[in-house]
Amino acid sequence: MTTTTFGEALAASDASQGQGTLTDGFHLLVDALKLNGVETIYGLVGIPITDLARLAQASGIRYIGFRHEQSAGNAAAAAGFLTKKPGVCLTVSAPGFLNGLVALANATTNCFPMVQISGSSERHLVDLQRGEYEELDQLAAARPFVKAAYRVDRAEDIGRGVARAFRAAVSGRPGGVYLDVPGAVLGEAMDAAAGAASLWRLTDPAPRQLPAPEAVNRALSLLADAQRPLVVLGKGAAYAQADEEIRSFLESTGIPYLPMSMAKGLLPDDHPQSVAAARSLALSKADVVMLVGARLNWLLGHGEAPEWSPDAKFIQVDIEASELDSNQPITAPLVGDIGSVMAALTERARPGQVTAPAGWRDELEARKARNATSMQKRLADDPHPMRFYNALRAVREVLADRPDVYVVNEGANALDITRNVIDMRLPRHRLDSGTWGVMGIGQGYAVAAAVETGAPVVAIEGDSAFGFSGMELETICRYDLPVTVVVLNNGGVYRGDETNSASADPSPTRLDPTAHHERLIEAFGGDGYHATTPQEVADALGKAIASGRPALVDCVLDPSAGTESGHIARLNPKSAVPPLRQPRKRADPATRRARGPK
Ligand code: ADP
Ligand code: TPW
C-alpha cells in the first residue's frame, strides 16, 4: 500500500488551485507567501499548522523546523536583518505563539523585519473563554510587543493580511509583525479563481525616503564648523545595505567613526578612520556627533555627560522621526533612509566643506595606539587554565583568515570581550544580543545565518548563554549546517567560582564547571572538541570550519575568569542593607565535582 502525505497530495493537485475549482486557506497562505518572495519559513509544527508547513515545503518553500519556537523566531529575525526582507516564523496556538512572541518582541526592539504567523484556536470558543484547546486571545497578547498585529478572519482576506503584515514589517522603521490565522480559516474553502485574484505582491515594500535639502544643508554646516566630529554607525546602518554610500561619505570627509557592535565590518575594523579602539575618548570629546542608524539609548549612555561632552551637538540619521530627541536635543535631524541621506550628504557637500581637523585625528590616533598596545599585552598573556583573552586570541587568529565567517555572539564577558577582540571585515557578518542584551539568540541566529547565506558560522557563546538555545544543536545537525559553536565555559553565569555560604545549594550564578558541552553535539552526530589550551582551541576551530560540518568546541576556562555582569555591572541595583553573612556549610555539588575526589 502506498501512502501519500497531505502535502504531497495537495502539491500534486496544483498548489495554486487546490482540489478542482476550489482552493482553501492553506493554499492561499502558501501562495501569498511565495508571491511575496518568501523562500524559507522557520517554525515548529502542531495543531493547526502542521499541514501548512507540509504544503509550504511541497510548494518549494524551505521549512526549517526547530526544537523551541523562540529559536525559530530568532532565526526569522536574523533572516530579516541579513536579507532586508521579513523573516517568517510559524507557530502553533497559545504556548507556541507565546514562545515565539519573545523573539518577535526582540526583533521589534532591534528594528529587524519579521512576521510571526501563528495558528490559533476556534474564535467562538476562545472569545467566550469556553476552555478551548490552547485557548488564548493571541491578537491582544501580541499587540503591546510588536510593531503591528493583524488577524485574518476569512480565507478571502489572506492575501490582504499577508500584504499588510509584510508592508508593516519592512517599511519605515522595520519591526516585528504578528499575523493571526485561526485554524478554521486555513480549512475554509473558496473558489480557486476568486482566491487567486485575492492575492497580491507588494510593490516597492520599503520605499526610499529622501531627506529635505534644507535638512541636509543644516547637517553639513554643523559638520563644517566641528572641531572634533564623530560618526556613530549602528545596526540600522548595517541593515540599510547602503555600504557604498556610507563609505564614500566617510572617506570623502575623513571623519572618524565608531561602529556599534553589529555595525562592525560595515567598513573593515582595521579601517584607519575607525576609532573603536579609542571609544571613550571619542565619545567624551566629540563636539558634533552624527548618529547613523544608531539610537542614543543605554548602549550609548543616553548621550549624557560624563560619557559624552555636555556641549556635544547631535545630527541623527534615522528613518523614524519620533526616535529623534528621545534623549538629547537633535540639532540637525536627517529623517530618511540611510542610503538616500548619505548619498545626499556626499552630493551636497562642497569640496573641502567637511573635514576632520588634524589635531583631532592625531589625538585619536595616539589613544588608539596606546590602547592597541595594552590589548596586545592582554592577548599575549597565557594563563592556564585559559581565560577569556587567551582563548579568544586563538579564535581571532583562526578567523583572521576567514573574513567570510558569520559571527554570532552572546553572553556577558563572552560578549564584551569577543566584541573587542574579534575584528570583522565584511558588513552584516556579526549578530549579537542586540538592544535588549538578550540571552538565547545564539543557535537561532546561527541557523539563519547559515541557511540564508550558505557561509560558515561561528557562534561564540558564554556557557550560560549557550544553554538558552542549546537543544538547537540537534536542528543544526539535522539540517547539516556549517555552524561551529564555541562555548567559553567558565562554569557560571558571568563566572563559575562563587560559593554559597548559606546552604548546600549552588550559588545563583553557578553552573557545572565540569560540563563537557561537546558531548551534546556528539549525541546528534556533530563533531565535538574539548579544548584546554589556545592551541587546542585554534586547531579545533580551524578543523571545524574547514569541515563545513556541525561542530562544538568546548573551551575550558578558569571559573574565576570574568566579572559579574561584564561591562555593565553598574546597572545592578545596590542593596541598602549590609550583606547577610552566614557560616559556610559545605561546598556545593558542582564545586565538589570540580575539585574531584579528596
Ligand atoms: P545600535 O544598537 O547598533 O546602536 P539601534 O538598533 O539602536 O542601533 O538603531 C538602529 C536605528 O536604525 C533605529 O532607530 C532604526 O529606526 C534605524 N533604521 C533602521 N533601518 C534604517 C534605514 N534603512 N534607514 C534609516 N534608519 C534606519
Ligand atoms: C533572556 C541575564 C545576562 S548575561 C547572562 C545572563 C543570564 C549570562 C552570562 O553568562 P555566560 O557568559 O553566558 O556564561 P560569561 O562570559 O559572562 O560567563 N535572561 C535573558 N537575558 C538576559 N540578559 C539574562 C537572562 C544575563
Side-chain angles (χ1 to χ4, degrees):
M1 195 181 77
T2 57
T3 55
T4 314
T5 65
F6 173 92
E8 285 160 358
L10 293 185
S13 71
D14 180 4
S16 65
Q17 293 297 309
Q19 305 284 353
T21 58
L22 285 184
T23 187
D24 60 22
F26 287 108
H27 287 82
L28 290 168
L29 184 48
V30 168
D31 288 350
L33 295 175
K34 284 187 77 173
L35 193 59
N36 282 286
V38 172
E39 290 171 4
T40 307
I41 293 176
Y42 301 92
L44 203 164
V45 297
I47 297 170
I49 51 123
T50 313
D51 281 340
L52 184 69
R54 289 198 182 104
L55 179 64
Q57 197 174 51
S59 308
I61 293 180
R62 189 159 192 210
Y63 175 80
I64 306 286
F66 283 77
R67 305 302 297 262
H68 191 287
E69 292 86 352
Q70 198 179 112
S71 291
N74 284 325
F81 170 73
L82 291 169
T83 64
K84 235 182 157 184
K85 294 193 297 191
V88 177
C89 170
L90 184 63
T91 56
V92 303
S93 334
F97 152 78
L98 283 173
N99 283 343
L101 186 59
V102 175
L104 190 66
N106 188 45
T108 307
T109 301
N110 284 321
C111 312
F112 298 164
M114 165 178 170
V115 175
Q116 180 180 347
I117 300 176
S118 188
S120 57
S121 300
E122 291 288 340
R123 290 249 48 85
H124 62 280
L125 298 171
V126 173
D127 288 350
L128 280 173
Q129 298 184 15
R130 291 177 59 192
E132 170 62 324
Y133 166 71
E134 297 196 341
E135 178 179 289
L136 184 73
D137 184 354
Q138 296 173 193
L139 187 63
R143 224 165 230 140
F145 303 106
V146 297
K147 184 174 174 192
Y150 307 110
R151 179 162 58 228
V152 174
D153 287 313
R154 307 178 300 178
E156 67 190 78
D157 288 329
I158 285 176
R160 179 173 289 110
V162 167
R164 207 148 163 55
F166 275 52
R167 174 71 73 184
V170 78
S171 60
R173 169 184 276 176
V177 175
Y178 175 58
L179 185 63
D180 191 277
V181 185
V185 174
L186 290 173
E188 188 187 327
M190 75 179 281
D191 176 71
S198 73
L199 309 182
W200 70 87
R201 183 188 177 86
L202 292 182
T203 304
D204 195 7
R208 291 176 62 197
Q209 295 189 29
L210 306 183
E214 60 275 18
V216 176
N217 291 343
R218 189 191 293 122
L220 287 170
S221 324
L222 198 60
L223 284 170
D225 290 342
Q227 292 309 302
R228 293 178 303 282
L230 176 70
V231 168
V232 178
L233 300 176
K235 59 181 169 300
Y239 170 79
Q241 297 192 15
D243 310 344
E244 277 319 304
E245 289 88 341
I246 292 169
R247 178 193 284 274
S248 56
F249 176 76
L250 284 172
E251 290 184 346
S252 64
T253 58
I255 301 180
Y257 74 92
L258 179 75
M260 299 298 284
S261 66
M262 283 181 61
K264 277 167 67 77
L266 190 42
L267 284 86
D269 272 341
D270 60 0
H271 192 284
Q273 284 167 252
S274 168
V275 291
R279 185 179 197 274
S280 38
L281 178 75
L283 297 192
S284 65
K285 290 225 168 154
D287 62 351
V288 173
V289 180
M290 184 160 99
L291 302 159
V292 182
R295 286 169 284 187
L296 214 42
N297 57 16
W298 71 279
L299 286 159
L300 284 171
H302 306 285
E304 285 167 5
E307 197 171 342
W308 295 81
S309 157
D311 303 324
K313 289 198 169 20
F314 291 95
I315 301 167
Q316 187 157 20
V317 182
D318 206 290
I319 203 148
E320 178 67 44
S322 68
E323 177 60 36
L324 279 56
D325 299 286
S326 52
N327 278 286
Q328 298 295 333
I330 300 300
T331 309
L334 276 170
V335 175
D337 71 274
I338 288 167
S340 302
V341 174
M342 300 312 283
L345 285 166
T346 307
E347 263 161 45
R348 294 187 79 88
R350 293 189 308 276
Q353 184 189 8
V354 177
T355 56
W360 175 229
R361 279 187 280 131
D362 293 346
E363 191 178 352
L364 290 165
E365 268 318 303
R367 180 65 67 90
K368 271 170 70 175
R370 200 181 87 190
N371 289 349
T373 310
S374 46
M375 170 66 89
Q376 286 308 334
K377 271 204 202 114
R378 248 174 276 158
L379 290 173
D381 200 18
D382 220 358
H384 191 81
M386 291 187 287
R387 299 178 80 85
F388 284 94
Y389 279 96
N390 59 333
L392 284 168
R393 178 188 72 219
V395 176
R396 173 185 157 110
E397 281 162 8
V398 174
L399 294 187
D401 295 330
R402 295 300 302 258
D404 58 320
V405 165
Y406 281 77
V407 172
V408 173
N409 188 202
E410 61 177 337
N413 299 279
L415 179 77
D416 295 334
I417 303 176
T418 301
R419 187 175 53 229
N420 291 338
V421 169
I422 306 293
D423 288 339
M424 303 304 303
R425 273 166 295 155
L426 293 174
R428 293 169 293 284
H429 274 54
R430 187 188 147 88
L431 298 123
D432 66 28
S433 300
T435 303
W436 264 351
V438 73
M439 298 300 112
I441 48 87
Q443 271 61 234
Y445 279 12
V447 167
V451 166
E452 297 291 332
T453 71
V457 180
V458 173
I460 304 172
E461 311 255 316
D463 51 332
S464 163
F466 164 73
F468 285 72
S469 64
M471 191 62 196
E472 303 303 342
L473 288 179
E474 191 275 335
T475 310
I476 291 168
C477 291
R478 186 161 22 99
Y479 290 93
D480 194 22
L481 297 172
V483 172
T484 306
V485 178
V486 173
V487 178
L488 295 172
N489 179 10
N490 62 353
V493 175
Y494 311 130
R495 52 193 283 164
D497 62 345
E498 190 185 0
T499 49
N500 172 11
S501 53
S503 77
D505 281 338
S507 93
T509 59
R510 283 300 294 269
L511 298 172
D512 183 351
T514 66
H516 278 254
H517 297 91
E518 78 283 3
R519 292 185 191 153
L520 293 171
I521 201 162
E522 285 166 3
F524 307 116
D527 299 331
Y529 301 89
H530 191 70
T532 58
T533 64
Q535 192 57 53
E536 286 173 6
V537 174
D539 290 347
L541 183 59
K543 222 165 128 186
I545 296 173
S547 77
R549 280 178 40 79
L552 186 148
V553 185
D554 192 42
C555 305
V556 182
L557 302 195
D558 190 328
S560 73
T563 53
E564 178 141 339
S565 305
H567 288 183
I568 52 174
R570 67 182 186 285
L571 299 182
N572 281 307
K574 295 267 170 300
S575 170
V577 178
L580 210 61
R581 290 237 172 266
Q582 289 194 3
R584 195 160 154 236
K585 291 195 174 129
R586 64 195 177 108
D588 61 58
T591 311
R592 287 200 301 276
R593 268 203 305 286
R595 284 183 189 149
K598 285 232 168 78

